[in-house]
Amino acid sequence: MKRGNCRGAKGAQEGGYVKDGPKETNPVSVRDAKRRGDVQQEWCFSSKDHWRWAEPTVWTERMLDALERGVKGGKWHSLIDKVYSPKNLRAGFERVKRNKGGAGVDHVTIEAFERQLGANLEKLHGSLKAGTYRPQAIKRSWIPKPGTREKRPLGIPSVRDRVVQTALRNVLEPIYEQGFAPHSYGFRPQCGCKDALRRVDALLKQGYSYVVDADIKRYFDSIPHNRLMALVKTRIADGRVLALIEAFLDQEILDGLERWTPETGSPQGAVISPLLSNIYLDPLDHLMAVHGFEMVRYADDFVVLCRDAGSAQAALALLEEWTVEAGLELHPEKTHIVDHGSAEGFDFLGYHFKGGRRWPSKKSMKKIRASIRAKTPRTYGHSLMHLIETLNPTLRGWFEYYKHSNKWTFSGLDGYVRMRLRSILRKRTKRKGRGRGIDHQRWPNAYFIARGLYTLAQAHERICQSS
């Protein structure tokens, strides 16, 4: 069966981005967009070719036919056998292996699990089929937030649980994906941050200059389990699959010597959490569309773009009403209305938008500088060439995401990188302090370029010339 990417019909160029719109299968949203007619949107409609990303060991021709025709009552029965299918479990392990990650509470690494792969998958198959499978506790790890002194929690399920969750997601994701709103871009197949940024850029250029910049307070930790399961049950009627989802929601958390069972939320780090989080916010997506608001959402990070201040106030009031009913809370300090043409601007997905221009947000700049600083200690013990080879992938990756920024963004960061390198060279010549002054003549910019340092400003110039 041939499968392909879902792409915008025209592949037009907008604001430096190549437009790659996500699919649209919800008739209410499409009809509403056509009725409004004030914003051009490009949708991809359902087809077999569109489901290329779906796991083929689960979503066969027959399954896809049922998905597109619709099942009786709109609910899917008898799915648990698709979850514990040996082929699906093996596909689940292969994806877990590609995503890497550490060991959970049982200390079993991916490598150790793979050494006994056949036996481990057979054991999972047997316990899922018999209904005796129980998830292990989630190990909580605290990782630093780049650019700050804060840390954020990350849940690490065991490898066996990640395999089962991936197999479960392989079964569930197409069922819900078919009805998700087109302006939701986070954790969805063939969608990403750049798709969301393109949409925001296009709307701003079309006069949607009043922006509701919203933030849900501790969203992943706050999702009410009973309301989430009620939404899951609108599509799934297999009791054993529902019980499996509830078992993952009720997994214990192990944080050092502390151990508890959360009453709300879906653990960040769990494979199934992104899908569940999208399921819970999907009613909000469609509510905003029905009321004519242009919302762009990436997971729990979203903005609503309006043509005037009155519409923005109405959108914010609707958001506040919905979040209260859904058992969530908008962050009072991070949720506000912004006039894009004013001096304030707004941040979205790492970019700062202001007055028709965009550049990395202050938080993004802190993150990249912290990353560079961590890789360039003055006591670095390897050669300069080795250090440059270590730095270049970070710089290339950062540029690929932020290449649509104003050109002055790149020269400043280039200067910071070279200052860090000069500081290392000063240390090696028994000098104190950071690279400055005469060091620019001692080790000029060309010195580092000749040794292969990736230069952001030059990369930006090349893109501008090619454009």
Side-chain angles (χ1 to χ4, degrees):
M1 175 174 57
K2 180 182 177 183
R3 298 180 178 181
N5 290 334
C6 178
R7 299 228 175 241
K10 296 182 180 179
Q13 197 87 9
E14 286 194 13
Y17 298 111
V18 176
K19 185 164 185 177
D20 263 350
K23 70 181 185 312
E24 165 59 44
T25 56
N26 184 276
V28 174
S29 297
V30 174
R31 185 169 59 249
D32 188 61
K34 289 180 177 179
R35 177 181 58 80
R36 293 199 307 272
D38 54 349
V39 176
Q40 180 183 355
Q41 302 200 39
E42 298 173 7
W43 315 119
C44 290
F45 292 90
S46 178
S47 69
K48 294 281 183 64
D49 191 55
H50 165 67
W51 298 105
R52 180 179 182 180
W53 56 269
E55 174 52 48
T57 62
V58 175
W59 291 95
T60 60
E61 286 270 6
R62 178 173 163 273
M63 287 282 285
L64 288 174
D65 283 338
L67 181 65
E68 297 192 348
R69 287 197 313 268
V71 292
K72 186 176 180 180
K75 295 186 178 183
W76 288 75
H77 302 259
S78 304
L79 291 174
I80 190 65
D81 61 312
K82 311 295 189 302
V83 176
Y84 63 65
S85 158
K87 290 182 178 179
N88 188 22
L89 289 172
R90 181 171 288 274
F93 170 76
E94 292 300 330
R95 182 169 295 186
V96 169
K97 182 180 177 181
R98 288 196 301 271
N99 291 339
K100 302 180 182 179
V105 294
D106 58 1
H107 307 292
V108 176
T109 63
I110 293 174
E111 293 76 18
F113 191 92
E114 188 173 26
R115 283 196 289 271
Q116 302 291 329
L117 183 60
N120 285 328
L121 295 183
E122 180 60 33
K123 187 175 181 180
L124 287 177
H125 168 78
S127 61
L128 286 166
K129 186 175 182 179
T132 57
Y133 170 83
R134 297 293 181 273
Q136 296 173 315
I138 292 178
K139 182 173 74 175
R140 172 161 286 185
S141 176
W142 293 86
I143 60 176
K145 289 184 176 181
T148 70
R149 296 182 180 180
E150 300 178 15
K151 293 186 176 182
R152 67 179 180 89
L154 179 67
I156 306 177
S158 62
V159 175
R160 68 188 282 273
D161 289 344
R162 300 207 298 267
V163 170
V164 174
Q165 285 193 24
T166 305
L168 178 62
R169 189 182 69 182
N170 287 346
V171 173
L172 297 181
E173 193 166 32
I175 294 173
Y176 293 96
E177 179 66 25
Q178 189 182 38
F180 282 160
H183 55 257
S184 166
Y185 298 92
F187 307 123
R188 295 184 60 189
Q190 301 174 342
C191 294
C193 291
K194 288 194 174 183
D195 297 297
L197 291 168
R198 292 181 191 109
R199 188 70 189 134
V200 170
D201 186 61
L203 288 166
L204 290 172
K205 289 178 177 177
Q206 294 173 44
Y208 289 77
S209 58
Y210 287 85
V211 181
V212 181
D213 186 6
D215 181 271
I216 299 177
K217 192 174 182 180
R218 301 180 68 240
Y219 171 62
F220 278 88
D221 295 331
S222 304
I223 303 173
H225 289 175
N226 58 339
R227 298 181 186 183
L228 172 60
M229 289 306 301
L231 287 171
V232 172
K233 290 175 183 177
T234 61
R235 297 289 183 90
I236 304 298
D238 187 321
R240 293 180 63 184
V241 169
L242 295 172
L244 186 58
I245 296 172
E246 288 181 319
F248 284 125
L249 289 174
D250 293 335
Q251 278 180 278
E252 286 187 309
I253 305 293
L254 183 63
D255 188 353
L257 298 178
E258 295 185 40
R259 194 181 188 108
W260 75 94
T261 301
E263 296 180 359
T264 60
S266 186
Q268 294 190 56
V271 176
I272 199 68
S273 287
L275 175 60
L276 295 178
S277 71
N278 274 335
I279 290 173
Y280 199 69
L281 288 181
D282 186 57
L284 173 62
D285 294 336
H286 291 290
L287 176 68
M288 299 303 286
V290 166
H291 282 78
F293 294 119
E294 293 295 344
M295 179 175 173
V296 181
R297 181 172 70 82
Y298 190 95
D300 60 333
D301 193 0
F302 59 90
V303 290
V304 183
L305 296 97
C306 305
R307 291 187 180 274
D308 54 71
S311 297
Q313 291 287 354
L316 178 56
L318 188 60
L319 280 173
E320 291 172 338
E321 180 183 354
W322 185 88
T323 50
V324 170
E325 292 177 354
L328 303 173
E329 180 184 358
L330 290 176
H331 199 296
E333 297 176 1
K334 297 181 180 180
T335 301
H336 55 284
I337 295 173
V338 174
D339 179 358
H340 177 244
S342 71
E344 188 175 1
F346 66 97
D347 292 346
F348 185 60
L349 298 182
Y351 271 92
H352 183 73
F353 291 83
K354 179 180 173 182
R357 299 182 298 171
R358 58 193 180 275
W359 55 84
S361 65
K362 290 181 179 179
K363 186 176 180 180
S364 299
M365 292 303 296
K366 285 183 178 180
K367 284 183 178 181
I368 185 59
R369 284 179 174 245
S371 178
I372 292 168
R373 193 161 52 245
K375 293 176 183 291
T376 56
R378 294 183 190 179
T379 55
Y380 189 82
H382 298 286
S383 69
L384 180 64
M385 295 287 287
H386 183 274
L387 175 55
I388 287 173
E389 290 176 359
T390 303
L391 268 177
N392 279 349
T394 299
L395 297 175
R396 286 193 183 97
W398 188 87
F399 178 77
E400 181 58 31
Y401 188 77
Y402 290 103
K403 61 188 176 184
H404 303 293
S405 303
N406 286 350
K407 64 179 182 179
W408 46 259
T409 300
F410 308 109
S411 58
L413 191 55
D414 279 334
Y416 181 76
V417 172
R418 289 190 294 264
M419 181 274 291
R420 296 294 301 180
L421 297 180
R422 290 184 180 112
S423 298
I424 293 172
L425 296 175
R426 278 181 66 87
K427 178 76 172 177
R428 292 178 180 179
T429 55
K430 309 301 181 183
R431 294 178 175 86
K432 295 181 179 180
R434 66 181 191 177
R436 62 188 186 277
I438 192 65
D439 295 331
H440 289 263
Q441 284 75 48
R442 190 177 286 121
W443 301 293
N445 296 353
Y447 176 85
F448 301 107
I449 294 174
R451 282 153 182 79
L453 179 65
Y454 185 81
T455 305
L456 301 168
Q458 288 186 351
H460 186 253
E461 285 179 10
R462 287 193 294 269
I463 282 188
C464 291
Q465 290 170 359
S466 64
S467 296

